[in-house]
Amino acid sequence: MPSFVYRAVTDNGKIVQNRVEEINRKALIKKLIRNGLTPISIVQRNRITKSYSKTKHKKNINDVSSMLEAADMYVNIEEKGKQKGFLARLNDRLVANSTKVTTRDLVIFTQDFYLLKKANFNNIHALSTIIEKTENIRFREILRDILAGVEAGENMYTTMEYYSDVFPYLYINMIRVGELSGSLTQSLEEAVAYLDETEALNKRLRSILVPKIALLAAIIILLFVGILVIIPIIQNVFKSLGSTEQLPAITLWFADFVDKLIKYWYVPVAVIAAIVVAVVGYVRTPKGRYNFDYFKYTMPLFGKLIFSLDFLRFARAMLLNLRNGIRVQDALEVSKNISKNYVMLSIIENSLKNILIGQSWIEPFEKSNLASPMIIEMLNIGMQTDLQEMLEKLLEYMEIDINNTIAKIMAVLPEIVYAIVGVFLIFLVLVVLVPCIQAYMGGWMFSAAGF
């Protein structure tokens, strides 16, 4: 059995090394990931050197704890058994910090791979070229694992599925559609567009939400600080001078609420925890997951956008398959995994069943009441004329519709956030600032003097 020397990073950023025996490199990577280790480098060795004589008995990976217990016995391959110096430890720390694969890494890889495929490179040649220029150590090892799978005759997406923390679900299925339909170059182009659009949308949302959420958090902090610090000071001043002035009723009520909340903090914590556990448990059931996914498609403001994006990607996958001469039934089968939403999957499954019994595959989309009448009508016309041509027009229409929907959301979202912040700001004024103004104006002094 081949012998491998691996270097990996634990969850807490510690570098561990060992020599193990495994069937092949890919099997070793899977076993490392299952045991909570992130591979940095894996080198095959033909014989065991003296440097590893102390750890020769470790033939297989058992668990992370046993690895960490023996971490002091792991040696640095480059230093051939010598103890690590400061620079080596610093290098290991820098390596550990650079193991996270970012969206930028994924975008650069996809763009490069698309350009090489467009230049008629085969998958092996393209991956080998990209690996040499990849700076991220962990991502480089992942690409080497993908290359090993391709060289063994596997599809790229099958290896990507083992790295779901790096490659998004939708990204993997875009590659899957491209490989199975023979249109990998077009799938890569769409994957680049998907990553760019997602990042742009996230930036726009963050630019709107982050400042408003920070402002809301500051108001809530001021509210509680005012109740816990400022209001008791004002009350003590009133009492010490014998004033009969009373704080506003809403201030007294909220102060009493905060006191009880602090005293019985475990009650709301337990209630919230129970609700979270119940909701998560329900969503993990098939029925709960279906209802949750249906809510995502029908929720106010974002529901239409989420469904439109999922349907747009499904339609693109269908078009890719049809262009390569795949019949509608097989195109539906290949394209159905482009979304992991249970509602979309159930609609597509019903479409496949309709084809088997000789009915229209468009009918389930119409009965779902999620697709717009325009989408249904264009699909029906496409089935009567040229489905490929109509799908191209449908994609153009949906892109315009999605951009209009995003524009509406971006116009309405700030107003909603401002309204929420405004409500809390008014509450802050009534609860904290009004008593402060009352104390500042000095009306309590007349009450204290008997006037």
Side-chain angles (χ1 to χ4, degrees), residues 65-294:
S65 59
S66 63
M67 293 177 183
L68 295 180
E69 290 173 1
D72 294 335
M73 295 189 294
Y74 297 161
V75 297
N76 193 315
I77 301 169
E78 291 77 4
E79 295 177 344
K80 297 182 179 180
K82 296 180 182 179
Q83 190 173 0
K84 294 181 182 179
F86 171 76
L87 292 178
R89 292 196 300 270
L90 179 61
N91 178 66
D92 285 345
R93 177 57 58 187
L94 292 175
V95 169
N97 292 335
S98 66
T99 53
K100 182 179 179 181
V101 180
T102 63
T103 303
R104 175 176 171 77
D105 293 327
L106 191 57
V107 170
I108 292 174
F109 159 73
T110 311
Q111 289 174 339
D112 292 344
F113 197 47
Y114 165 69
L115 292 175
L116 292 175
K117 289 294 293 180
K118 201 172 181 180
N120 295 325
F121 280 54
N122 59 42
N123 289 356
I124 295 177
H125 192 183
L127 286 171
S128 301
T129 303
I130 294 172
I131 288 171
E132 295 301 323
K133 58 165 287 188
T134 302
E135 297 179 357
N136 188 294
I137 296 177
R138 187 194 173 199
F139 196 39
R140 188 191 308 157
E141 292 302 312
I142 292 174
L143 295 181
R144 284 176 178 166
D145 191 22
I146 295 174
L147 175 60
V150 173
E151 291 175 336
E154 296 181 354
N155 288 316
M156 288 175 53
Y157 75 88
T158 57
T159 307
M160 288 180 176
E161 289 174 346
Y162 291 106
Y163 300 99
S164 57
D165 60 327
V166 174
F167 300 99
Y169 178 88
L170 183 58
Y171 182 94
I172 295 173
N173 281 284
M174 283 182 173
I175 302 300
R176 178 179 182 270
V177 170
E179 289 189 293
L180 296 181
S181 64
S183 304
L184 183 57
T185 303
Q186 293 179 347
S187 290
L188 287 168
E189 184 179 9
E190 292 181 2
V192 171
Y194 159 71
L195 293 172
D196 290 340
E197 290 170 2
T198 302
E199 185 64 19
L201 181 59
N202 290 338
K203 285 183 179 179
R204 293 176 68 182
L205 289 175
R206 284 195 297 266
S207 65
I208 294 175
L209 294 178
V210 172
K212 308 304 182 298
I213 292 175
L215 178 61
L216 181 61
I219 292 174
I220 293 175
I221 291 172
L222 285 175
L223 185 61
F224 278 86
V225 170
I227 289 297
L228 295 175
V229 178
I230 299 175
I231 298 304
I233 293 175
I234 296 175
Q235 287 179 318
N236 290 334
V237 172
F238 288 177
K239 290 180 181 179
S240 63
L241 296 177
S243 174
T244 59
E245 285 288 323
Q246 293 291 328
L247 295 175
I250 189 172
T251 302
L252 297 174
W253 169 82
F254 192 71
D256 182 62
F257 171 77
V258 172
D259 290 338
K260 290 181 179 178
L261 186 65
I262 295 174
K263 184 177 181 180
Y264 303 103
W265 61 269
Y266 50 86
V267 175
V269 170
V271 171
I272 294 173
I275 293 174
V276 170
V277 170
V279 171
V280 171
Y282 176 71
V283 170
R284 287 183 176 179
T285 63
K287 183 179 179 180
R289 175 64 183 276
Y290 182 90
N291 290 334
F292 179 69
D293 286 345
Y294 186 79

Side-chain angles (χ1 to χ4, degrees), residues 308-331:
S308 297
L309 288 172
D310 279 355
F311 189 86
L312 176 67
R313 291 158 188 155
F314 163 73
R316 281 177 176 169
M318 282 285 295
L319 182 59
L320 279 178
N321 287 283
L322 293 174
R323 281 175 176 171
N324 286 275
I326 300 177
R327 58 180 184 167
V328 174
Q329 180 178 350
D330 295 333

Side-chain angles (χ1 to χ4, degrees), residues 366-394:
E366 184 177 4
K367 288 184 176 180
S368 68
N369 293 323
L370 295 172
S372 66
M374 178 68 74
I375 293 176
I376 301 301
E377 186 62 24
M378 292 182 74
L379 289 176
N380 285 324
I381 294 175
M383 288 299 295
Q384 298 171 7
T385 56
D386 187 342
L387 184 58
Q388 290 186 39
E389 182 181 355
M390 188 55 65
L391 280 174
E392 292 175 357
K393 295 179 180 178
L394 176 60

